Amino acid sequence: MTSVRGFAELHRRGGGDADEAMRRIEDEAARMSVLVDDLLTLAQLDEERPLDRRPVDLLEVAADTIRDARVRVPERQVRLAGLDGRLTPVSVVGDEARLRQVAANLIGNALCHTPAEASITVKVGSIGHLGVLEVADTGPGVPPEHVPRLFDRLYRVGQGRSRADGGAGLGLAIVSAIVRAHGGRVELDTAPGRGAAFRVLLPGSEVTPSPL
């Protein structure tokens, strides 16, 4: 908000580059809009509003989200794979819009916190009677001291970075809240130098049982 006010005042006074000032105002307004939407999402989840539950294909959710990511950042490597090597539909009972948000947040988090040369793999499959959506990257991994607080609201690993670069620290908190509301859980496998894998496990409706 401070940036918007500052650039608006600069534009009003006729100082600096007018086009640049308006561009920065638009950018900051867009970031604020995302932040407000995220806060509203968390508020709705806190109120435990009923989810729009119906069968959802995690494979379709993953494929669509990857397609969107490739449009936004075509230079990044984001691929789809089966958890056991096979790409097959995996149906869970849940709120499709919310589950799409989970996939988008996890892929967006991987894109934001890994270097350009890192690859991202989205895996879909089943473990027992659970549907699984996993987003793994080959980035630097998460330092151990940050792991316990990674899903806390407003917590950012790169505290020294600007929020424009590192986000507001709500993406993973939203993932955790949505998954909990579906009766599932999120697991994280990471270590410095060997990337990070976020695995979402959800109660399934038509998953093929397999050994845990």
Side-chain angles (χ1 to χ4, degrees):
M1 195 65 192
T2 300
S3 297
V4 170
R5 293 178 61 183
F7 283 110
E9 183 175 354
L10 180 65
H11 178 65
R12 179 175 58 81
R13 292 180 176 179
D17 185 322
D19 288 340
E20 174 65 12
M22 292 306 298
R23 185 187 67 79
R24 294 294 298 274
I25 289 173
E26 290 174 351
D27 289 346
E28 293 299 331
R31 293 190 189 102
M32 284 193 296
S33 178
V34 171
L35 176 59
V36 170
D37 287 344
D38 285 349
L39 290 170
L40 285 174
T41 295
L42 286 170
Q44 291 169 352
L45 291 167
D46 286 345
E47 292 177 3
E48 297 183 351
R49 295 184 183 181
L51 298 171
D52 182 17
R53 294 181 182 271
R54 61 187 67 187
V56 179
D57 182 3
L58 290 181
L59 180 61
E60 180 181 345
V61 169
D64 289 347
T65 309
I66 289 172
R67 191 177 301 113
D68 293 342
R70 287 172 175 169
V71 170
R72 296 196 318 273
V73 281
E75 68 279 6
R76 293 298 302 269
Q77 180 183 346
V78 185
R79 70 184 189 95
L80 180 63
L83 194 65
D84 59 359
R86 299 175 300 167
L87 278 174
T88 57
V90 176
S91 182
V92 299
V93 176
D95 188 314
E96 182 172 346
R98 294 301 190 198
L99 293 179
R100 286 181 178 274
Q101 189 171 12
V102 166
N105 283 14
L106 289 177
I107 293 175
N109 181 73
L111 290 170
C112 181
H113 296 294
T114 59
E117 64 273 13
S119 64
I120 298 166
T121 303
V122 183
K123 296 182 180 180
V124 176
S126 62
I127 299 178
H129 294 281
L130 298 175
V132 179
L133 173 72
E134 179 181 285
V135 178
D137 63 66
T138 60
V142 182
E145 65 270 20
H146 294 293
V147 171
R149 298 194 58 194
L150 206 57
F151 294 95
D152 290 354
R153 299 178 186 187
L154 302 177
Y155 185 78
R156 294 179 298 134
V157 172
Q159 299 290 342
R161 294 181 300 182
S162 70
R163 292 195 181 272
D165 295 332
L170 292 175
L172 292 179
I174 289 175
V175 166
S176 179
I178 291 175
V179 173
R180 286 200 312 271
H182 281 80
R185 67 182 188 273
V186 186
E187 298 176 349
L188 171 60
D189 181 17
T190 185
R194 65 175 183 87
F198 291 85
R199 175 172 285 189
V200 174
L201 299 105
L202 298 163
S205 62
E206 299 174 9
V207 298
T208 302
S210 58
L212 283 171

